[in-house]
Amino acid sequence: MKIKAYRVHQLGARPLAEVAGWIAERPLPGRQFGGRFDIRLEDIRVGERILWLDFAHRRIGHGPGRMAPDQPIRDIDLAEGEHFGEDTAVVVDMQTGYAAVQYNHHGPKVSAIEEYLRSADMAVAGARVADGIDPDRFGFTWGMHLNPDGYDRLRELGIYREVSVQINVPGATQHDFIRGRALGQIIDHVVPEGTETVTLSFKAAAPRNSALGDQGVEGLLTDIRRLGDSVQKAVVKGRVAPREPIEEIDLIEEQLSRDVPLRIARGERYAREDRWEALRSTLQLWTETDQLPVGE
């Protein structure tokens, strides 16, 4: 199981454990918010410091089938109203805000979890966009956390020469990324309807010592990190100093991550308890090895 690191920042008045606890008190049919019915908080456990969460959604499109050494692949019969579902486990250190998140190709992505929790936080407060309430005052941001070497290399760049990014447009726009943000304005006003993926490249002028504006690049990097798994490629090129060679930093490759082997349980799924424990132990390992600096 692949595990990725994120840093959770609280935007609203309520901490994550409170919002998640409020959701968990509701019956399963009442755990959808913001007009979306494809994601819900499936389970929660709250400790003194650690928060365990599991988010699920319906799998859309072609589903799995049954097969055996002496049998061809067959459909799996589902009862009326049942669907194939996928879930993503999350463990959060409530004191530092760092999170270890299971990567599940078909499960809810971090960008979807972020939007879901923002809608839930607004529901707790009885706040509505239709009433002129700013949704960015609610919920939590989940920024991808780079490994220490990646952060050091990025911070050392004094001259930004190029930023290239490839984004899954449905994933970016579906989770309300577009409002008032640098990349979002481009996606909202320039990209034709029906676009699946967009690739953007921002390059400095031809002279060797020319550079992109620091503030603009930092805004783009913030947007990129917020989009999480909706970003398919993100590369930054620049120099530490005018006469230094160009450095290339791939933000996707530099995200702090870890692969942990797990035992397949009955039904060919990783048991939730096993996933949670792998996430907790990984978070502890990253903390003990100073890969999650508290003062950052």
Side-chain angles (χ1 to χ4, degrees), residues 146-160 235-240 246-251 253-254:
L146 306 186
N147 62 55
D149 180 66
Y151 266 122
D152 289 343
R153 293 174 60 205
L154 192 61
R155 287 168 177 153
E156 287 174 358
L157 292 184
I159 301 173
Y160 294 111
V235 176
V236 182
K237 296 181 181 179
R239 305 179 193 274
V240 175
I246 289 181
E247 295 270 355
E248 180 174 307
I249 303 171
D250 188 323
L251 300 186
E253 291 186 0
E254 296 294 343

Side-chain angles (χ1 to χ4, degrees), residues 253-284:
E253 291 186 0
E254 296 294 343
Q255 183 175 10
L256 182 60
S257 63
R258 183 188 184 210
D259 290 303
V260 178
L262 291 182
R263 178 181 59 85
I264 296 292
R266 182 175 176 84
E268 298 195 350
R269 285 172 46 82
Y270 296 138
R272 181 180 297 150
E273 295 291 338
D274 292 344
R275 288 180 286 136
W276 271 347
E277 176 54 28
L279 293 168
R280 186 208 62 78
S281 61
T282 295
L283 201 58
Q284 180 179 352

Side-chain angles (χ1 to χ4, degrees), residues 204-226:
R208 174 184 173 88
N209 292 332
S210 63
L212 299 171
D214 292 354
Q215 186 174 359
V217 171
E218 288 167 3
L220 290 174
L221 296 180
T222 298
D223 286 354
I224 290 169
R225 290 176 62 195
R226 286 194 76 252

Side-chain angles (χ1 to χ4, degrees), residues 48-64:
E48 290 186 7
R49 175 166 178 163
I50 299 298
L51 177 65
W52 291 267
L53 302 168
D54 194 44
F55 296 90
H57 72 176
R58 174 186 173 183
R59 180 169 175 172
I60 303 297
H62 191 61

